[in-house]
Amino acid sequence: MDVLQSLSFSPLWGYVLAFGVAAAICFGSLPRTRYIEDADSRRGLAAFLLLSGGWALAHVGYLIAPTPAIQYTLYVVGLVVGFAAVGPWLYFCSAYTGRSLHQNPTVRWIAISVLLAIIALKVTNPLHGQYFTTEPTTTPFPYLVIHHGPLHWVVMGLAYALAFIGFFILFELFAQVGYDTKPLFGVVLLTGLPVGLDVLGATTPYLLPLTYSPLGVAAFAVGVFYVYLERFQAIHLTGETDDPMILLDAEKKIRDWNQAAQHLFPDLAGTRGAPLATAVPSVADLSDEPDSILELDRHGQTRYYRMTVNPFSANSARLGQLITLTDISHREQYRQQLERQNERLERFASIVSHDLRNPLSVAKGRVELALEEGTQQEHLEPASEALDRMEELIDELLTLARTGQQIDETEAVRVEAIATKSWEMVDAPEASLTVEGEFTASVEADPERFQQLFENLFRNAIEHGGTDVTVTVGALDGTRGFYIEDDGAGIPAEVREEVFEPGFSTTEQGTGFGLPIVREIVEAHGWTIHVTEADDSGARFEVRTDSSR
């Protein structure tokens, strides 16, 4: 009773209260760790809080212990428990950020070895006296004064260096998901403040020469569990994958996103708290559908993303939605290619059943008449012509099938050079080719198919414009691409969309495959083609290469 009365107005109780509150906060935060979904993160943080609370509690015991011997023992226990807390902290940081260092046996053995070595230095301090020395005092109250030695500062520096490795790992994740790192720096600052208190306690009479680190750990616990627990979990969700992810609250307002989403949607910058429909309307339009495909233009290419929307919850409460976008461009493009091939097969089947049936019927009928009447010359010549027609149709069909195949390898080719070379393959001595101006444009293309494109357009111009037609090749104004036009009769406006359909021809001699082959070549390169009227009323074909791969 006399001891308690002598201490009733002592500054001791201020220190006891500070460390007691730190211990209470650490222990009081433990139940909230059950809301952490990842088991390793949960175990690491729970152990970290338990040891940190134990460290602060050991300091309380050290301050109020009745004898110097007990004070000494509790102080050493606190030092051991405090340094041991670094291990669970790093374990949590590794697990939380998706690393596997905490599961590596070599890393674990190194950590245990370092811990045992440090414990040995602290426990054997009475033998070497390099960690700390003690001195009983009654000012400002009876306690055992601790004078830190060189080993204390070395070990404390090591502990803080290891702790800051964990902070750096967290900072890297925050930066990766594009999250504001200022709050994290604030928590780090709170945790580092006790270092200044340690220095003041060792160099000035204003503070006792104690280890104040448990106070910083308690501040970190407050920061994590009472301010950032839900946000840490949100960052963990959005940062654990390379897929673009956007986290919404219950009102469909944007809470967080990762770096991949920022790259995909630059307009996300500065939109925390904004409605999804305002920030990213293309995503908002599909967010109510359970599984949808989002089509986006990325650097001149069309990309496809499968969008999934899942509920997000923490602390057993529904908080909002997590939108994940998975790039399925290759699969979607393959699916579309299969659809185009199926459509092409259907067109081929129609052509075979229609266009080939007519000359086949002619040839068959003439042969039958020749056999019945015995007049071979009269019937066999039309039959031969019908068979030639079939052969031409079959060749064109095979060409059309091959030109529709995907192009894997391209190279830079000069349009002027390919046009000139293609013109040499056309048998039209009275026709002429003009390359407009100094046309030196080049495109990424398959040279063989590119030449076939020009040959078919040149033959089409001669077939419809006459053997003395003039063909002009030039660059398009204001866009990437080129045109081929002639001074012939042109193509009527009402059939310009039909000329690219297989089997369509405005002449009886035409097979109707020349321009469809051109379109297949153009589309295989990722370009577009458009037919219009030339300045001199002829036909003009414009090929735009803006969407070229």
Side-chain angles (χ1 to χ4, degrees), residues 146-168:
I146 305 297
H147 299 290
H148 297 130
L151 285 179
H152 168 82
W153 299 108
V154 171
V155 172
M156 189 182 72
L158 175 62
Y160 272 94
L162 293 173
F164 273 90
I165 289 176
F167 283 120
F168 177 79

Side-chain angles (χ1 to χ4, degrees), residues 18 33 37 43 53 89-90 113 125 138 165 218 237 252 285 293 313 383 395 399 419 454 457 483 488 513 515-516 534:
T33 60
E37 296 181 0
R43 284 191 291 266
W89 164 244
L90 292 176
S113 300
N125 182 69
T138 58
I165 289 176
L237 284 172
K252 286 194 174 183
D285 292 341
I293 305 298
S313 60
D395 288 341
T399 300
F454 276 99
L457 287 176
Y483 67 86
F513 293 124
L515 293 181

Side-chain angles (χ1 to χ4, degrees), residues 306 312 332 340 442:
R306 182 177 299 280
F312 166 67
E332 182 66 15
R340 289 194 297 268
S442 63

Side-chain angles (χ1 to χ4, degrees), residues 71 105 135 225 253 259 275 278 342 370 377 422 439 462 466 503 515:
Q71 288 179 351
E135 178 186 355
F225 284 97
K253 293 182 179 179
Q259 193 173 29
T278 302
N342 289 336
Q377 189 67 25
S422 302
F439 183 53
I462 294 168
L515 293 181

Side-chain angles (χ1 to χ4, degrees), residues 313-521:
S313 60
N315 296 3
S316 301
R318 173 77 175 268
L319 297 177
Q321 295 177 326
L322 183 65
I323 297 177
T324 305
L325 299 166
T326 305
D327 192 338
I328 58 168
S329 299
H330 180 73
R331 183 170 58 187
E332 182 66 15
Q333 289 165 356
Y334 181 69
R335 184 190 65 80
Q336 293 181 3
Q337 181 184 356
L338 288 179
E339 287 184 354
R340 289 194 297 268
Q341 289 179 349
N342 289 336
E343 292 175 359
R344 190 179 299 113
L345 287 174
E346 291 179 2
R347 291 200 304 265
F348 289 170
S350 174
I351 293 168
V352 169
S353 64
H354 182 269
D355 292 59
L356 288 179
R357 190 181 302 276
N358 290 337
L360 180 61
S361 299
V362 172
K364 183 177 180 181
R366 291 289 184 169
V367 170
E368 290 176 352
L369 288 174
L371 292 174
E372 291 176 2
E373 300 176 2
T375 54
Q376 299 179 358
Q377 189 67 25
E378 178 183 354
H379 295 298
L380 292 183
E381 285 184 2
S384 177
E385 292 175 357
L387 293 174
D388 290 341
R389 173 70 172 175
M390 288 178 59
E391 182 179 11
E392 184 180 6
L393 288 170
I394 291 171
D395 288 341
E396 295 285 3
L397 274 171
L398 291 175
T399 300
L400 182 61
R402 295 190 182 106
T403 54
Q405 296 175 356
Q406 187 176 1
I407 293 176
D408 296 322
E409 296 183 4
T410 61
E411 61 183 70
V413 294
R414 292 180 62 245
V415 177
E416 180 183 8
I418 292 294
T420 303
K421 184 178 180 180
S422 302
W423 186 258
E424 295 173 354
M425 300 293 106
V426 178
D427 184 17
E430 297 180 9
S432 60
L433 173 68
T434 301
V435 178
E436 190 177 74
E438 296 181 0
F439 183 53
T440 59
S442 63
V443 295
E444 285 289 327
D446 180 323
E448 292 184 4
R449 294 204 208 178
F450 197 39
Q451 180 174 336
Q452 189 178 19
L453 179 151
F454 276 99
E455 290 180 8
N456 279 29
L457 287 176
F458 291 160
R459 291 193 180 99
N460 181 78
I462 294 168
E463 180 180 339
H464 296 85
T467 56
D468 59 348
V469 70
T470 297
V471 180
T472 303
V473 177
L476 293 175
D477 294 332
T479 184
R480 293 177 57 191
F482 56 91
Y483 67 86
I484 300 103
E485 68 178 24
D486 60 64
D487 60 356
I491 301 175
E494 61 271 15
V495 298
R496 287 175 185 169
E497 295 300 324
E498 300 179 55
V499 295
F500 293 111
E501 294 299 324
F504 180 86
S505 178
T506 58
T507 65
E508 294 183 359
Q509 295 78 18
T511 61
F513 293 124
L515 293 181
I517 290 173
V518 170
R519 185 184 63 177
E520 293 290 348
I521 296 173

Side-chain angles (χ1 to χ4, degrees), residues 182-265:
K182 294 185 183 67
L184 179 62
F185 277 117
V187 174
V188 173
L189 181 61
L190 288 175
T191 309
L193 284 178
V195 177
L197 299 180
D198 287 348
V199 174
L200 288 175
T203 58
T204 70
Y206 303 111
L207 291 175
L208 296 181
L210 305 175
T211 298
Y212 293 91
S213 296
L215 302 179
V217 172
F220 174 75
V222 172
V224 172
F225 284 97
Y226 295 96
V227 180
Y228 294 108
L229 179 62
E230 292 177 2
R231 294 188 181 182
F232 266 50
Q233 190 165 347
I235 291 170
H236 182 67
L237 284 172
T238 57
E240 64 185 1
T241 177
D242 292 333
D243 290 336
M245 303 184 76
I246 302 174
L247 187 65
L248 307 178
D249 62 16
E251 299 178 355
K252 286 194 174 183
K253 293 182 179 179
I254 296 175
R255 293 186 56 192
D256 286 296
W257 60 85
N258 62 0
Q259 193 173 29
Q262 176 76 59
H263 288 162
L264 189 61
F265 304 107

